[in-house]
Amino acid sequence: MIEYETVSICFYIEYETVTICFHVEYKTVTICFYIENSIEPYLVPGHVSVPSNGIQKLQNITIALDALTKDGVKLVNIDSSDIHECNMKLVLALIWQLILKYQVGLSGPQNKSWILKWLNAIIPECNIKNFTTDWNSGLTLHALLDFCKPGLSPQWRNLDKENKVDNCRNALKMALQNFNIPMILRPEDLASPDLDEKSAITYLSYFIKVGGPGYDATLQRVSARTQPKSVTNFT
């Protein structure tokens, strides 16, 4: 039996002399900021290593938020008190910005259109227009898997579109077993017309990010077309 994971992600960024780890857990919506200094961990300006009261905790969170802002993360209407008081709506919005910046690797209004263009370039038969209903049958995810590893799901075109949940379940399992992509979505979620767009994009980001199966498969195809010159990255 495969369990659907509560996924933990750590984001590390360098900020002046401080290395900050942002630890996010989906589903439980727990967000922690770990602040480390590789040289003198107890002499970080303004940072309290072992906070003993609310003021010190607020101070530490402010340092972390300042670092995020300087690293290009868009923060809207959230400050240290919102995190300290566990304002669920604002914390979820912050987590989404962290996902866009460090997991998806994109930010701003162009991120969705860029992903759609990439998907339609690699699996044009699917004619993908959104991150919700176009994924419900499971066929699109099977097609993506077959692009990433040719022969992994060669009969995806012949799958029964009405058998949505089973199609989605099989595709999610294949992604986990072949590419170690965590099952942060349940088959029932992926097959639902009410599929949450942000959850779908987060799941797809595992394919798109550098080193992900979609990234590597695209790189291999581009490199094959540019022989004898080898392409090793998209930067």
Side-chain angles (χ1 to χ4, degrees):
M1 178 178 177
I2 295 178
E3 296 183 357
Y4 303 100
E5 301 186 20
T6 296
V7 180
S8 296
I9 295 180
C10 289
F11 309 108
Y12 291 90
I13 68 171
E14 296 293 331
Y15 171 57
E16 297 179 351
T17 61
V18 185
T19 298
I20 301 179
C21 170
F22 302 93
H23 178 236
V24 178
E25 291 186 356
Y26 301 125
K27 307 300 184 185
T28 57
V29 195
T30 299
I31 183 166
C32 304
F33 299 89
Y34 298 99
I35 304 178
E36 303 170 352
N37 184 311
S38 58
I39 301 174
E40 296 179 279
Y42 299 104
L43 298 179
V44 179
H47 163 233
V48 180
S49 298
V50 185
S52 60
N53 56 58
I55 293 176
Q56 292 174 339
K57 292 176 182 178
L58 288 169
Q59 185 174 325
N60 284 347
I61 296 172
T62 298
I63 292 174
L65 291 178
D66 287 345
L68 284 174
T69 300
K70 291 192 175 184
D71 202 47
V73 176
K74 183 180 179 182
L75 303 180
V76 180
N77 298 325
I78 188 169
D79 58 27
S80 56
S81 63
D82 295 314
I83 295 173
H84 185 252
E85 296 169 6
C86 301
N87 184 314
M88 184 69 71
K89 182 178 180 180
L90 293 179
V91 168
L92 283 171
L94 172 60
I95 290 174
W96 175 239
Q97 292 303 321
L98 291 175
I99 290 169
L100 285 179
K101 174 70 175 179
Y102 300 108
Q103 174 70 12
V104 181
L106 298 168
S107 59
Q110 300 302 315
N111 61 79
K112 290 195 295 184
S113 62
W114 184 93
I115 297 173
L116 283 175
K117 288 178 181 178
W118 173 73
L119 288 167
N120 282 301
I122 63 170
I123 44 176
E125 289 181 62
C126 295
N127 191 26
I128 305 166
K129 298 178 181 178
N130 58 56
F131 296 99
T132 52
T133 54
D134 284 349
W135 298 85
N136 292 165
S137 70
L139 270 66
T140 305
L141 184 54
H142 274 276
L144 178 57
L145 291 170
D146 200 59
F147 166 79
C148 294
K149 186 177 180 180
L152 182 58
S153 186
Q155 300 300 319
W156 67 266
R157 297 174 183 82
N158 300 324
L159 294 174
D160 184 355
K161 293 183 178 180
E162 300 303 317
N163 198 15
K164 297 180 180 180
V165 175
D166 283 344
N167 291 341
C168 291
R169 179 180 292 108
N170 291 334
L172 290 167
K173 286 182 179 179
M174 291 166 67
L176 174 63
Q177 293 165 356
N178 288 272
F179 306 120
N180 200 32
I181 294 178
M183 297 177 71
I184 61 173
L185 291 172
R186 298 180 305 164
E188 294 80 6
D189 296 328
L190 189 57
S192 171
D194 297 320
L195 172 64
D196 178 68
E197 182 182 68
K198 292 180 179 178
S199 296
I201 292 174
T202 302
Y203 180 75
L204 291 172
S205 71
Y206 286 93
F207 290 88
I208 299 167
K209 67 180 183 178
V210 176
Y215 181 96
D216 287 347
T218 304
L219 191 62
Q220 290 171 8
R221 283 160 176 74
V222 171
S223 186
R225 294 184 179 184
T226 59
Q227 292 297 328
K229 184 176 181 180
S230 177
V231 178
T232 59
N233 59 63
F234 292 117
T235 58

